Structures are given as C-alpha cells and as structure tokens.
Amino acid sequence: MRFDEAYSGNVFIRSHANYEESQAVIYGMPMDWTVSFRPGSRFGPARIREVSIGLEEYSPYLDRLLEEVKYFDAGDIPLPFGNVEGSIDAIRSFVSQVLADGKMPIGLGGEHLVTWPVIQAVYEKYKDLVIFHFDAHTDLRDSYEGYPYSHSTPIKKACNLIGGKNVYSFGIRSGMKEEFEWAKENMHLYKYDVLEPVKQVLPTIGNRPIYLTIDIDVLDPSAAPGTGTTEAGGITSRELLDTIHFMAQNGANVIGCDLVEVAPVYDSSEMTQIVASKMVRELILGFVK
Amino acid sequence: MRFDEAYSGNVFIRSHANYEESQAVIYGMPMDWTVSFRPGSRFGPARIREVSIGLEEYSPYLDRLLEEVKYFDAGDIPLPFGNVEGSIDAIRSFVSQVLADGKMPIGLGGEHLVTWPVIQAVYEKYKDLVIFHFDAHTDLRDSYEGYPYSHSTPIKKACNLIGGKNVYSFGIRSGMKEEFEWAKENMHLYKYDVLEPVKQVLPTIGNRPIYLTIDIDVLDPSAAPGTGTTEAGGITSRELLDTIHFMAQNGANVIGCDLVEVAPVYDSSEMTQIVASKMVRELILGFVK
Amino acid sequence: MRFDEAYSGNVFIRSHANYEESQAVIYGMPMDWTVSFRPGSRFGPARIREVSIGLEEYSPYLDRLLEEVKYFDAGDIPLPFGNVEGSIDAIRSFVSQVLADGKMPIGLGGEHLVTWPVIQAVYEKYKDLVIFHFDAHTDLRDSYEGYPYSHSTPIKKACNLIGGKNVYSFGIRSGMKEEFEWAKENMHLYKYDVLEPVKQVLPTIGNRPIYLTIDIDVLDPSAAPGTGTTEAGGITSRELLDTIHFMAQNGANVIGCDLVEVAPVYDSSEMTQIVASKMVRELILGFVK
Amino acid sequence: MRFDEAYSGNVFIRSHANYEESQAVIYGMPMDWTVSFRPGSRFGPARIREVSIGLEEYSPYLDRLLEEVKYFDAGDIPLPFGNVEGSIDAIRSFVSQVLADGKMPIGLGGEHLVTWPVIQAVYEKYKDLVIFHFDAHTDLRDSYEGYPYSHSTPIKKACNLIGGKNVYSFGIRSGMKEEFEWAKENMHLYKYDVLEPVKQVLPTIGNRPIYLTIDIDVLDPSAAPGTGTTEAGGITSRELLDTIHFMAQNGANVIGCDLVEVAPVYDSSEMTQIVASKMVRELILGFVK
Amino acid sequence: MRFDEAYSGNVFIRSHANYEESQAVIYGMPMDWTVSFRPGSRFGPARIREVSIGLEEYSPYLDRLLEEVKYFDAGDIPLPFGNVEGSIDAIRSFVSQVLADGKMPIGLGGEHLVTWPVIQAVYEKYKDLVIFHFDAHTDLRDSYEGYPYSHSTPIKKACNLIGGKNVYSFGIRSGMKEEFEWAKENMHLYKYDVLEPVKQVLPTIGNRPIYLTIDIDVLDPSAAPGTGTTEAGGITSRELLDTIHFMAQNGANVIGCDLVEVAPVYDSSEMTQIVASKMVRELILGFVK
Amino acid sequence: MRFDEAYSGNVFIRSHANYEESQAVIYGMPMDWTVSFRPGSRFGPARIREVSIGLEEYSPYLDRLLEEVKYFDAGDIPLPFGNVEGSIDAIRSFVSQVLADGKMPIGLGGEHLVTWPVIQAVYEKYKDLVIFHFDAHTDLRDSYEGYPYSHSTPIKKACNLIGGKNVYSFGIRSGMKEEFEWAKENMHLYKYDVLEPVKQVLPTIGNRPIYLTIDIDVLDPSAAPGTGTTEAGGITSRELLDTIHFMAQNGANVIGCDLVEVAPVYDSSEMTQIVASKMVRELILGFVK
C-alpha cells in the first residue's frame, strides 16, 4: 500500500524522490506564445514524461542504468500565459537556483525561446561556455516582425551574449539569407548534417563546458512530426542517437542541456514524444556524471 | 491599411471583390497567445473560410441568398506573434476604420481576447451599445495569474467600459465563484440556455445597437470539439441557429458581430469549422441590411 | 453475377451463408467520384461491416433477433473507378437481379448518386412506389456544373421518373433556393425534422411500397462526423432510431432501403460507421419480413 | 520555489496532499484486458486527470467549490498486465483499505469489470447496499465465450452478490435478449433514459447507501466517442449532469462511485476525458460530505 | 480563362500579383475521381499553398530567394466533379494558354492522371521533349478495369505520344509484371533509386527540354504518409532534394513540372503538404530562369 | 477447427479458395491482453488484410506473382478475450494442425506472445529448428511483474525450449540489462542492424529449417508508427525488404513465419498496415515454395 507516501504522478521515469540528493534536475518550460506557425509545444514536457513509462531503464548503447544516476523531476515551471517577459524571468530564476545548488539543468520545451533565459543563467556560472545547437533552423533573427522576443531569435541572443565564436550550430537547413550570411562571418554553422561535423568539432573544444540545446525539428519530419515547424531533409533519429553517444563516449563536458519544440497535438501516433523521451534518457545516461 | 491592395489569402465564399462597395467586412483575428489551456485558434479564421466552399449560398431558414448582400473578406489582420498589446492595437485600429467607413464588422477569431479591442472601437461609435455574449465561460476575470490580458477577461473589460447593465451573457456554465457573484450584482447572466432567455431579453432592448459575440464553445463539445476549452452540457447547433434566426426575425439591430475560439487542430473531422462557417452565413444573411 | 460463388470479403454480422435462401441482400456501392466536396464514401460499406462485429444481435427496441431473419451480404458491387455511367449500369443490373429473385435490397453507400439506379430498378417492379428520403440536402439539382450526374441530383431524377407527388423528403436543411421552390410546387419536402412529419405522412401512404433512402448526413454532424458534407442543425441518432421504429411498428411496407454517404476517413473515432451499422441492424429487423 | 516539497505531478485538480486527512480517495484502475471490442481504457484515468487542469474549481450547478472538500488522488492502482484475477484482487484489496479508513472511494476506469471487486469491497461494509448503474449495456452476462471474467459481466455478478432487487440500471440500450429477459424478472432495468427513471426511483430508496457506477458510454457517441463500444441513441452530457445534480440535491446517500470505460485513443479531440473530468468534479461536489 | 480577374483563393507564398509579368504559373488540378484506392488528392493543391506560409523564402541549398523569381499562382483550375474527359480538356486548355504566353507551367495535383493533358500541351510546343518521372508506381497501364482513364495510365499514354525512348522513370517499386516487361523493351525505367540514375542519365540529355513530373509517393511512406497509395521502400526527402539540386546545378533544361498525389486527409501531422511545399519552392528556385 | 467451412471475414489479396490445395496458410492471432504499454494489436490482422487490396500482385524485387503460389487465408483464430492460457492453447492447436497437413504457417499478430505457442508447434515438427527474430526488443524476460505470460517473454521461452544457440535476434535496441547480459552468454543477439548480420549468419545455417518472426517495431517509428511500443533508432522499411530478399535469394529454408504487433489505431495514415501487407506479400513470394 502506498498511503504513507506522497503520490508521484506524472514525472519522468525513475525520477529521484529528493531534490537535495539529486545530481540533475529535469524541468518543463511549457511556453509557446511567440511561435510564428503552429503552437502546442506547451504540452511537450507533460507528454514526454507520460510516455517515459514505456522506456526501459537501461541503455544498450551506453551500457548504463537510470538507477545509477540521481535526477529530480521538478515538474513544469509555472509560467504566465501570453506574458513573454514574465515567463523568461521565471525560467532564468529557476535555472539559476538549480545551478547555484550544483545540479545539472535538463530542460524540456516548449518553444525554443525558452533556451535564452537558460543560457543567461548558465553563462553566469560558466564564463568559458560553448553552445552546441542541433536544429533545422538558424534561430538567428534579431527580432520577428519588430518584436524582440520570438522562437526565431534565441541563438542570435546567445551569440551576442557569449560571442558567436563559442556557438556551434549543426543540422541547419532553413533560415533567412541574412542569417546564413551573418553566421558565415560570426559563428560556426554546419548545414544539413550533425554527426560528422560534431566529430570534427568536439576535439577542438577540449574540456570546456558545453550547453547542448536540441530542437526536435533537427530530425526529419518523418521521425518527429509533432513539432510546430517541420522541415524536410533532416537527420534520422539514429543519427541523433549516434551523435549523443559519440559526445558521451568522447569526453564532451556537457553541463546542461535541453530538448525543445515537441508539440504533441500534431502527432496522433505519439511518436515524437516517444523519441524525445528516449533522447532524454540518453542525455541523462550520457552526461550526468 | 490594406484596403487598397488585393488580399492574397483564401476568402469566405461569395466575398465581394470590392471593399468600398461592401456593406460589411469579414476579417480574421488569428491570435491565441494568452490562452490558458489548448492553443490553436490562430488557424480558426483560415479554416472557417476554407470550408465555406462547401456551403450553399441560400439559407432555407431565412429565405435569403448571399448574393443579396455585399460583404468584403479582408483576410486576416496581421498580428505580431506573442505580442499581446501590439495585437490589440492592430485590431482596434482596423475595426475603427471599418466602422468609420460605414461598414458592419464581422470578425473571426482567434481567442476571445480579440473581442476586447473590437468592443472599444464599436463603443466609440455606438454610445448606447448593448452586448450579447454567447459562451460557456463567464470571461469576467480582471486578470489571469496577475496579467491583465487573457482570454478570460474580455467581458469584464467590456462591463467596465460600457456598464454591466448593458451586457447580457447567455449559455454560461463555467467560471469562478467570484465571477458568478459579481455578475449577479452587476450585469445580466443567463446560465446553460440561450434561446429562451434571448426571447425574454430581446423585446426589452428595443432598437438599441447590439454587438453579438459568439464563443464557439457555447455549443456542446459534441457539436464543436475543435476549440481550446470545451465544456460539457452545452447547447446544440440547432439551438444556436434558432437563436440567430429569432433575433434576425424579431428586429434585433445587430451592428457588428464575431465568432471566436475555433481551434481546428482538435477536430480532425473539420466539423467545428463547418458549423462555424454556416453560422457566419446566417449572421451575414440575418443581420447585414 | 457473383451469386453462385462465395464472397471473400468481410460481411455484416450474422450474414446468411446462402443467397438463394435469403429474404434480403446487403450490398455495397463503393462509389464517390462525383462528390463536390470531400470524397471517401467508397470505404463506407467495408467499414460499416467491419464494426458490425461490435453489435449485439438483439434489438431491445424491436424485441427481435438477427437470427430470425435471413439476409445475405453479397459484398461490394465491383465498380469501375471514375467511370460514372459504367458504375450506374452495374448497380442497376445488380439490384434488378436481386428484385427478380424476390429478395429485398439493402444498399450501403457510397455517394448518394448510387440511389438513382437502385430506384430505377425498384420502380421497374413496383409501379406504385413511394420514396422516403432522409437527408440534410435536397439533392434536387438537374445537373452540377453542367454535368448530369452528381450526388446532388438523385432525388430530382427520382421525381422525374416516378412523379414528385410520390416522393417525400424529411430533415432537409440545405439546398439552392431553386430547389426549395421547385419542391414546394412539385413534391413533399419537410424541413429540419424527421420523426414528426413521418408520423403525419405514414398513415396517408397505406400499404403502398416504400423505398427508404437514408443519407447519414441527416444526422447532426455531432452524431455523424464521418461524411463528405456535414450540415449543422441535424437530428440526433435517437430521433432517427425512433423514426425507423415508428415506421416498423406502424406497418410501413418498406420493400428496399439504403444508407449512404458514410466516409470513414473524416471520423477517427469510428463513431459514424458504428451508428450506421446499428441503423442497418434496425432496418433489417424492422423491415425484412 | 518548490524544491522543498514533493512534486505532485499528474493528479486530479485540487487533490489534497494528505491521505489521512481526506474524506474521499480518487484512484485509477487501468485495466482493459477482457474487453471484447476496442481496448485502450487503461489510459482513461491518466488522461482524465491530465485535462482536469482545464476545469474551474467551482460548480455553478451545485454552488460549491472543490476546496470545500478534501480528497486525495492516490494515482493508479498497480495492476499486472493481462492477469485478470491478480488485477481484481489488487483492486478489491485497495478499496477495502480505503473503506476501512472511513473514506469514500471514487474510481476511474478502465474497463467495467473493475467495478466488480469494488462492489465486493463496498458490500462487505454496507450490507443494505443499492447499486445505481448508468450504462448503454446490460453487462449481465454470466461469462463471455466461456470465460467468467469479462467487461460484460460485472452487473450480473453484482446481482448475484447483493440481490437483483437492489440493483437499478438506467439508460440501457444494448444487450442480449436473454439479459433483458433475465433483468425483467430479477432486477430493475430502465431503457434509454436516465433522468426520468432516476426521479422515480430515488424517493423509494430512502437513505440506503448507494454505489453509483457510470459507464461513460451511457452518453451518446456524439458526447463520448472515446470509449471501446459506443452505442447510438444515448443521452446527452446535459442529461447526465442533470441526473447527478438531481441526486445530489435530493439526498441520495452515495457512499462510493466510479466512472469507467474512457478510452482516449478513439477521441483525438480529447472531448471524452474532458466531459469525464467534469463529471468527476460534480460527483465530488455532489456526494462527498 | 480567369487570367484577367483576381483569384480569390489562397496562394503560394510570395506569388506575384500579376499574370502578365510572371515567368511561371502555379496552378492546382484538384481531381481525384479515377483513383483506385484512397481518394482525397483534390485538396492537395490548397493545402500545399496553405502551409507555404511556414516556408522561408530563401533556399540555403541553391542560395537563391523567391523574390528573385516572378511566378503567378492562378489558383485551382475549375474541374467538373466526376467528369473525367471534361477535366482533362480543362487542364489541357489551361496549360496550352500558359505555354502560349511564354510562361513555365508548375502544376499541383491531384491524381497523376492530370499529368496526361499537361504533357499533351507541352509536347505541342516542345517536339524534342524528354520526360523525367519520379514515382513509386510504373503508371504504364493501358486502361484500368477496361476504362482508358485512370491514375495508373498517364506514363503509358505519354510513351505512346512522345515515344518511350524519351521517357525516363526513376524510383519505381510497384506495378504489374506486364508493365515492367513492357518498360524493359520500350522506355527507360530505374527501380528503387532516384539520385544515382539521374546522375547517369542527365548528361546524356544535353539541352533538350525536360518535363519533370513528381508523384509524392516516390518518397517513402514515412516521409509522405498523406497520399492515396503509399509504398514501402521509398527514398527519403533528402534524396529528393538532392536530386532536384543536382539537376538545377547541372544544367537540366526543365521547361515545366508538376508535383501530384498529395492527399492531406491521410496525414494529420500535415507533414506531407509541408514537404511538398518545400519541394515546390526548390523547383521554382531551381528551374525558373 | 474451421478448415471445412468457408471463412467469412476479409482475406489477404489473392487468397486461394481452398484449404486442402494450399501450400501455406495465413491466420490472424488477434490477442493483445498482456501488453505493458499501448494495446490495439488485436486489430492488426484485419487491417493488414484490408489494405492488401492496394497491393500489386507482382513483386519487382523477386520477379514473382502471387498467383504462382497457393495460400489460404483462414481468418483470425477465435481467441477468448483476456484469457491468456486459453488463447495460447488455441493458437498452438491451430498451428499444429496446419503443420500436420503439410502447409507452411504464416501468422499475423497480435502481440508478440502469440509467437510462443507457434514455436512450440513448429519445434514439435522440426527438431533442428533455427529461429530468426527481427525486433526492437529483446523479449527475453522470464516474467513480467511476476506473471509468466507477457509480450516481453516469448524469445526467452523459445531459447529455453530449443536452446539459445539456435536463436538469432537482429535489430535489437531495447531491453533490460539482465536480458542483454543473458543473451551474450546464451544466444545470438545483434544490436541495431538487421541486413548486415543476417548476411553473416545465413551461410552458417545451411539448409536447417528457419522460423522467422518479425515484430513490426524492428522498423523505425517513422516507418511503423502503428505499434504499441515504438523505439527510435530502427531500420528503414527498405532494409527490411532487402533482408527478406537476401534470405529468399540465398536459399534460406524458411518453414514458417509471422509478422506481429501492428496496432492500427496509433497510425491514422494507415502506413503501418500498408507496409506490413507488403512485407507479407514478400514473405509469401520469397519463402512459399
């Protein structure tokens, strides 16, 4: 009988019961109010957790078990609907606390703009930060139709903050001409592929701290239909798995990560959240020390 | 303003080719960024238009043809994603121009907050305005989680602007206790039903100008599953048709109207936009002189 | 003709194994090539059969069991895709044979145009024929965009053949103005309702043979979303059941019937074919002697 | 910050944090392995909870707030997949403990067979028990294809246990002929309607304890498409609400209840779990003292 | 002809406002009445346009912007439902005019039979025509169940018209034995792959005019589920993109093209129309001079 | 046994009319009651048959026609819902008879546990049996939550029966750590890939009889979303086709096979059953002598 214990409802499988003892913290950022096309990623975090019950706790790729790691699922950060600045503040404040407590942040989105306050918090702690960005889109706009906050802008804001030479984008296949031209001069951008360029870049990074942000639409629409803006010509889920495993097995010092833009309503098969939950398991097993 | 240029989106069936000659203007308000539950109503206007091709141009209820009326479909008002105040300003400005040109505004939403700037514009012109509000929800909050703009607030804002004694809500079956108590003291609120209370109220209005705002969720979920926040126990589409026809045939002086909260992604059968497009036809035939 | 060979498709529950011994014949007319809006009713017959497995064999309404009746499910009539005249000929020929063999035809559609050749065959045998037509749409066009064959035309063709005074339409809520005006002069058309007008009409028919054709869209979209052209303001499935039972219990001499326009792809819940299969059971139990 | 408290993920809205202090206990019974047609109700409890976030905490029907009641959501009872007897034992044991602790059980299904062990536990405590059963189906089989456990059997088992004269079924419109005949002799069965017969029966019950079991398919398919075996001709969600409210406002002594057979996968609109979650709110507000 | 009037449907992103000034014309051919399996491609053109709003105007593959090209979206050609010959005539007539006006035709389907009248019109102008055909299916039937018009026949008709030695099919993985045998003797057919054989064939074509017809089902079902007849074992969207880019960058003289068989109703994720709209952008940027 | 009576359900395309004359027998095993995550595979066999109508009868891969082979589709084996042991007995008994009659068994699932009784029957006849197992999951559990029957156990049971050294698993990417460790010591397990390891293993088998069991989830979720437990990182449908063809063209002595775990409700595009039906065609053409 479970009456004497708190019920731990919708959390990522094998979440540890205690925040203090945990090495990492999973949290949802259920925001989708600045997206330019199809909304719905606010429900991404809840559904990624829901289907995690279907995961095995063991990764045959990394030969490691979830029970070897202590992570705490803190649920979704409460965000004020439609209030962009209030939401950004709430996320930055939450992640700053996680970092201050010495824990690795693992975020679930939500639209990609949620990564911007996370990077602000992470950079506060890690001044030699490197960003790895897996995405179909450049996300390098300064603003969208005159408004400075949009899911098309977080990587540009990150470049402005930490310096474009510390930012690496992979798998990119869509953006404005100006974004691609700016990237060529100011940062590292690899088109179409992820695994091969990561293999080239990683040895040059050494032990510097990496924040890894994955937009699920880096995958081909066939592998991740449940996202706001799918873009044909993407990578397979196997290439993404192989990349995470390559990084984990070659000493990448990932000190925080997120997986964003899962919008379950566009995928009646639930395939997108299922692939996302597997990626989260591999991120935990690969990068939480 | 785009009135002088060709609109390049799809249009409601039998839309007149010319703005100047038209008696009424249809426009979309594709905003859904403050919704508290399921987003997606930004695509409501486009899909209502899309399925209008399946409508007959004749109403056997009103014995009138669409070609007897001149209305211009101006397309969707361009709104900045995630920017609430910018969106509200754009809507108010657009509708003010329509009214200044002596045309009847017929709006398609979009979340219910879009009705707020419309009412501001309409009240500017019609000082003895009466509002008829068909909805499952009170929409009488002052704010939502501390933020003054939310799809739960437009009717409260309207009461504050034009006086609660001029606002009539029908079909209401969900809200906070405080909202129902406030309504009892300050405005006219009819629970559950629409047709019978409208029959009682209409004769007391005389020839005063009525703005009619219909939230599609006044219908039972069975008749309109494609909306963000369905609420069991609603009216049938036949009761809504009967109400519109009663008003049209009993001299209701409707000087503007909207139909909001159609969120197509939750209705793979397309039933919701199809019922909405029929209601729009009846609104045109019933109220455009 | 395939009557002498075993049919190797799925069949309606409790179909009798033998054509010769059967009192009635079920057959599909999987044609949807002239529809003006959303196609897909070609799969209606197969899916109505598929879900019939979920039916009980007993009707508590009529207190009768399927095993008390002998009916043979002949499968779908093979129709040449896109060839309208060839399809019409195939249907007429099939039904003529069924009638010649002294069996009651029970057809599953398919678009409503399939009813036209059936009526031709039935009228050949029953010269004092009456047609009962349950539908949202008048179906009284002479042609559609200049082409004489369309799912908008079968009832007009029927009126021309057997005389409009022998044709009764019920539940109608959509059509062109010209159609409604023609109907007023030339046939019997009851708007919106089905049960009450049937109660009025049936006693005037006496024992004359009735062919009953049911377009599933006579139901409200909430009860039958899976059809090409849904039309808000329809009747409930309970009203349709009550009507069938009233007819069965008041001596209606139904000598043939069909149920058409089920298009399963628009209804991911399968509700439409499930309600249709129940109606077919009640038609069998109510009208096969 | 919420770090010092346990995260209370997927629970019914406003669930109390503490079992001991609660008056009622909500629990899921995620079993669907004996269903004869479409499985999937194992996910019903989780999805009913998920959408409860969209509910208001206030009922305008009963003028009562959820915070006026203390109920604890204990999550889903762990059940062994495919092991019918093990599952039944687990449910009976859980509910017996809830009752021994003086709390009202509120169960979420799952297939209807889950009600059988609940009734066993309830009858152990309440020897003058009356059962109210809202359903489309008789559920009066002794066995299904020779196997004694099936979702078609729980009411028969209940009749055998507590005496058929203490069992009242409402809204029934499907079953075998033998079941209807058995019911006529041995229990109380009301066909098609729910509200009117409940109004007749309730005064005859006095203050006897009532266990109320609601199969969501008592609703018409239009109002609850997400269930394994939909049956046309059912009641509206408004009639079900009115019945619950009539019982609550006329002294029905409901000492336990359940709502079963929600199978979310057949309803991409989520309407079924949304209506179910509203019914659960009304059950709590109506019957938890 | 409608060239002189404003088109009132939705248009492909960045469509030029003026027919006369345009170098290319986009048009829909919303016909699906001869398909042998699942209909629905009549809505392909409208939905490809609808989602084009989500496209960037820049191709990082071709380093070119849509605004560098002038194309006019003429909307859908009005076709008589179910009237095959009338539809074929309407298409041929429309395309002949486009060609006479010196503009490149870019067609959206619709079933593959629509390509037949286009080829007739194109061949009228380009007597040394070569056809490139990307498809899962041979489409080499003479007739289908005795009827000469079917979506299984257009390539055979093309071979008969322009000579099989001028027709190249790529990616083929389904057909009758007789079709494959006929192809081996009479035309060029490459099984399974597209990119590699195109690389071999293109240099042999020189500057001869190529008409490129793409059936979306050349893609694997995983990349394009929304089509009538999916066929496992197809190419990825990346291979299709690479092929278009190879042709564009190696001097292929494409003087017209189409993309057909998008049937949106089978793809609730909208992935198929999204990938199709990206292909259309690349066709415009790759081949319109 | 039903062999002496006509089967009256839908059948796989080109099924032979006569059991006695057939070389192979297709049968469904519509069981899904022990699955641990999402049920629904009970409808897999019926839907695989349904879409087989869309298949060509010719394989361009194997250059063989279905009419060159005689196979009888016996329909679904009647199984008692929720009764695991009764179902297993029914399957074993059915397959034993098929084998006794000298025919090759070709099974359609249903959950993977159905393979266990088949293997028992097959091993009874072929004592030097080899099992080829294509799957995402190890299926090597001894029990699931204490219960010996589960869709996670059939391969372990098979290893215990025929000896793990005779069992080869391919494509495996999920399981418990204990399962992978057990496999390393006791059987042959190839991770992630199928084609390459099959190329290595097949020559070592010689002419020994092979039973081939394919869980559709060996495919990547993108190619087969309609299954209970999808697992990212799988093979393409082309790799599975290539593997079947390699085996067929290199003398694999396949004496029985099955394809299981197709759960149509999770795939509104029907892609999964369509790919499955093509695989069944290739299995027939590749392995029935």
Side-chain angles (χ1 to χ4, degrees), chain C residues 108-147:
Chain C
L108 308 177
E111 57 162 287
H112 214 158
L113 184 56
V114 299
T115 299
W116 166 231
V118 177
I119 287 173
Q120 289 178 299
V122 168
Y123 184 59
E124 196 71 25
K125 177 165 184 177
Y126 299 98
K127 287 303 178 190
D128 56 341
L129 185 66
V130 173
I131 293 174
F132 271 36
H133 167 227
F134 300 171
D135 200 334
H137 304 91
T138 46
D139 289 0
L140 288 169
R141 298 195 184 205
D142 287 304
S143 63
Y144 194 86
E145 301 190 359
Y147 189 58

Side-chain angles (χ1 to χ4, degrees), chain E residues 56-241:
Chain E
E56 292 287 348
E57 297 167 29
Y58 173 70
S59 167
Y61 306 92
L62 295 168
D63 190 23
R64 198 176 186 204
L65 281 163
L66 285 178
E67 68 185 25
E68 300 175 34
V69 188
K70 283 192 180 130
Y71 52 92
F72 177 79
D73 187 341
D76 283 359
I77 304 174
L79 302 180
F81 305 111
N83 183 342
V84 178
E85 297 187 34
S87 302
I88 286 175
D89 288 347
I91 294 169
R92 189 173 41 232
S93 161
F94 182 96
V95 176
S96 293
Q97 184 66 52
V98 168
L99 289 164
D101 292 339
K103 299 170 195 313
M104 175 175 166
I106 302 176
L108 308 178
E111 56 163 287
H112 215 159
L113 183 56
V114 300
T115 299
W116 166 231
V118 177
I119 287 173
Q120 288 178 299
V122 169
Y123 184 60
E124 196 70 24
K125 178 167 184 175
Y126 298 98
K127 288 302 181 189
D128 57 340
L129 185 67
V130 172
I131 293 174
F132 271 35
H133 168 227
F134 300 171
D135 200 334
H137 305 91
T138 46
D139 287 0
L140 288 169
R141 296 195 185 204
D142 287 302
S143 63
Y144 193 87
E145 300 189 358
Y147 190 59
Y149 291 115
S150 158
H151 75 145
S152 306
T153 63
I155 302 305
K156 184 61 171 292
K157 292 186 197 304
C159 288
N160 290 342
L161 181 68
I162 76 166
K165 69 180 185 302
N166 300 312
V167 180
Y168 297 79
S169 291
F170 302 90
I172 308 301
R173 56 194 188 277
S174 181
M176 292 193 302
K177 184 172 188 173
E178 294 75 6
E179 294 177 270
F180 281 96
E181 289 176 343
W182 186 90
K184 191 175 293 182
E185 299 300 316
N186 297 287
M187 63 172 294
H188 309 275
L189 186 153
Y190 297 85
K191 288 193 286 192
Y192 318 139
D193 299 307
V194 175
L195 180 57
E196 286 312 312
V198 164
K199 285 185 176 172
Q200 294 163 26
V201 168
L202 191 61
T204 71
I205 303 297
N207 197 38
R208 290 177 61 194
I210 299 171
Y211 184 81
L212 171 60
T213 178
I214 304 175
D215 186 320
I216 198 70
D217 69 20
V218 72
L219 294 178
D220 192 67
S222 57
T227 188
T229 312
T230 64
E231 185 76 33
I235 66 171
T236 64
S237 61
R238 186 152 177 183
E239 181 169 343
L240 182 53
L241 285 167

Side-chain angles (χ1 to χ4, degrees), chain A residues 4-18:
Chain A
D4 53 342
E5 56 179 80
Y7 171 62
S8 59
N10 187 21
V11 295
F12 198 82
I13 190 171
R14 280 281 164 188
S15 168
H16 196 67
N18 184 285

